[in-house]
Amino acid sequence: MSEIFFWQRIIRSPILTIILLTIVIFLGLSLYKNIMIKQELVSALERIRQDITELNKKNTELEKYLKFSSNQDFQEKEIKEILNLKRPGENVYSILNKDGLSLEASSDKDIYEITKSNPKKWLEYFFK
């Protein structure tokens, strides 16, 4: 009987209630912290998956461009356009429009500036 009374006193004691309440609060905070970390990890995983799909798309586009640019005709065209080179024995003709500008040069500002006559450059400098 005294043993039962002893356990009843321990269970009903305010110290045990405070200890148990502290443990419950600690476990609740730990659980909340773990849930928040899990949500952050899930959102980070989604962002990484989106980045992977974007990079895969970009990779396939680059592979297509690489295949296209490795073509001999494409390389020859780029060499002719960018470096202004020509094959031996090949003649290059330029068609001029009304203003005396090359049709190719009218789309590119730098080339347009080079092909303008000097009086036109001075007129644009002073009156524009």
Side-chain angles (χ1 to χ4, degrees):
M1 178 91 159
S2 67
E3 194 173 309
I4 295 173
F5 182 70
F6 174 74
W7 286 110
Q8 285 179 352
R9 280 183 60 196
I10 291 178
I11 291 174
R12 291 183 186 169
S13 72
I15 295 173
L16 182 65
T17 307
I18 292 173
I19 291 172
L20 290 175
L21 186 62
T22 306
I23 291 172
V24 168
I25 290 173
F26 177 74
L27 291 175
L29 289 175
S30 296
L31 180 65
Y32 176 76
K33 183 178 177 182
N34 286 337
I35 289 171
M36 296 304 291
I37 290 173
K38 182 182 177 185
Q39 287 178 347
E40 289 176 11
L41 290 175
V42 167
S43 64
L45 183 63
E46 273 303 310
R47 283 192 307 262
I48 290 171
R49 285 182 179 160
Q50 289 174 353
D51 290 343
I52 288 172
T53 56
E54 290 175 10
L55 289 174
N56 284 336
K57 287 178 185 177
K58 189 174 183 179
N59 190 19
T60 56
E61 290 174 7
L62 289 174
E63 285 175 353
K64 287 178 184 178
Y65 180 74
L66 183 63
K67 287 179 184 177
F68 177 70
S69 65
S70 64
N71 185 357
Q72 185 69 26
D73 294 333
F74 175 79
Q75 291 175 356
E76 184 176 330
K77 179 184 172 192
E78 290 294 311
I79 289 172
K80 286 180 179 180
E81 288 181 3
I82 295 174
L83 300 176
N84 293 325
L85 296 177
K86 62 179 185 171
R87 286 185 171 180
E90 184 179 44
N91 294 327
V92 178
Y93 296 99
S94 178
I95 300 173
L96 303 177
N97 61 12
K98 296 177 191 175
D99 299 331
L101 299 174
S102 170
L103 292 177
E104 296 173 348
S106 63
S107 64
D108 193 0
K109 186 178 179 183
D110 296 333
I111 297 174
Y112 175 75
E113 292 291 328
I114 293 171
T115 59
K116 280 196 286 185
S117 66
N118 198 23
K120 285 185 181 181
K121 288 180 185 177
W122 281 107
L123 286 173
E124 287 183 7
Y125 178 74
F126 285 115
F127 297 110
K128 285 191 178 181

